[in-house]
Amino acid sequence: MKKKIYAVKNGRKTGIFNEWEECREQVDKYPNAEFRGFEYRSDLEDAPGDVPGSLQNAIKEAKEFLGDLESPEVFPDKKTESWGIEYWKIAADMRKCVALIQYGQTDAERRTAASNLKRHLERCLDDRNLNDLTDTYRGFKENNAIGYNPRMVERFVRQMVRRYPKP
C-alpha cells in the first residue's frame, strides 16, 4: 500500500510531516506556501534509505527538497516515532547537557550545554508524543539559561532516559 510523507519548505512550521492534516495546517492560507508529498510503500517502512520506495528514501528525498533549511524538523505521529526522531539519542544528549551544566570545566562549556538543552526542551514541547513528559516542566518557566526550572528539567530528563533507553 502506498503512503505519503509531506515536506513543508515554507509554512507556519517547516519540516517533515507524516499526516496530510498536519501538513495542511502549516500551509493552508499561508502566503507563498511551499510543500510537496513523497510516496513510499508501507511494506518498505523498515527498509534502508537506498531502497527506492522505502520510507527512509522518502525522508531523504524530502530533506533534499527542503534543501537549505537547517536541520529540518520531523513531526512524526505515534506510529512512526522511530523514523524521524530517535528519542533515546535526544534523552542521552539532554542527560549529557545537564551533567555539563553542573560539572563543566569552563563557563563556555556550561553555556553551550545550556543552549543545547534549551533547544531540546523547546523541540520536545512541540512533539505531541512527549506531551505527558513535557508537562513536567512546561509550567515552570524561569529567566535562566535553559528557560525553565532546573529541578523540573532534571526530572524530565530522567523520565526521558527511563522511557527511551539506548537500544
Side-chain angles (χ1 to χ4, degrees), residues 68-109:
D68 58 355
L69 283 181
E70 190 175 308
S71 301
E73 279 205 65
V74 180
F75 299 94
D77 66 8
K78 289 188 191 291
K79 297 177 295 207
T80 59
E81 77 177 14
S82 64
W83 61 260
I85 299 173
E86 294 186 78
Y87 290 113
W88 72 268
K89 287 182 180 178
I90 294 169
D93 193 48
M94 286 192 300
R95 183 170 54 185
K96 180 180 171 187
C97 290
V98 168
L100 285 171
I101 291 167
Q102 293 173 336
Y103 308 111
Q105 298 290 324
T106 66
D107 285 342
E109 188 178 41

Side-chain angles (χ1 to χ4, degrees), residues 49-166:
D50 59 347
V51 175
S54 71
L55 176 58
Q56 292 300 323
N57 187 262
I59 292 169
K60 184 175 85 177
E61 290 176 354
K63 286 181 177 179
E64 288 170 4
F65 167 74
L66 294 174
D68 58 355
L69 283 181
E70 190 175 308
S71 301
E73 279 205 65
V74 180
F75 299 94
D77 66 8
K78 289 188 191 291
K79 297 177 295 207
T80 59
E81 77 177 14
S82 64
W83 61 260
I85 299 173
E86 294 186 78
Y87 290 113
W88 72 268
K89 287 182 180 178
I90 294 169
D93 193 48
M94 286 192 300
R95 183 170 54 185
K96 180 180 171 187
C97 290
V98 168
L100 285 171
I101 291 167
Q102 293 173 336
Y103 308 111
Q105 298 290 324
T106 66
D107 285 342
E109 188 178 41
R110 288 189 290 275
R111 278 194 303 273
T112 300
S115 174
N116 289 338
L117 181 59
K118 184 175 184 176
R119 180 178 46 85
H120 281 309
L121 293 170
E122 289 168 353
R123 286 185 176 173
C124 287
L125 285 172
D126 289 336
D127 190 326
R128 293 185 318 236
N129 296 327
L130 300 175
N131 279 350
D132 62 320
L133 292 180
T134 56
D135 284 345
T136 304
Y137 68 91
R138 182 186 316 270
F140 295 91
K141 286 192 169 202
E142 289 190 4
N143 189 20
N144 59 29
I146 59 174
Y148 296 92
N149 179 286
R151 284 195 174 126
M152 295 295 119
V153 169
E154 280 186 82
R155 182 180 295 168
F156 165 72
V157 171
R158 281 193 309 272
Q159 291 171 342
M160 278 285 289
V161 169
R162 272 196 303 269
R163 183 180 287 181
Y164 301 105
K166 184 175 180 177

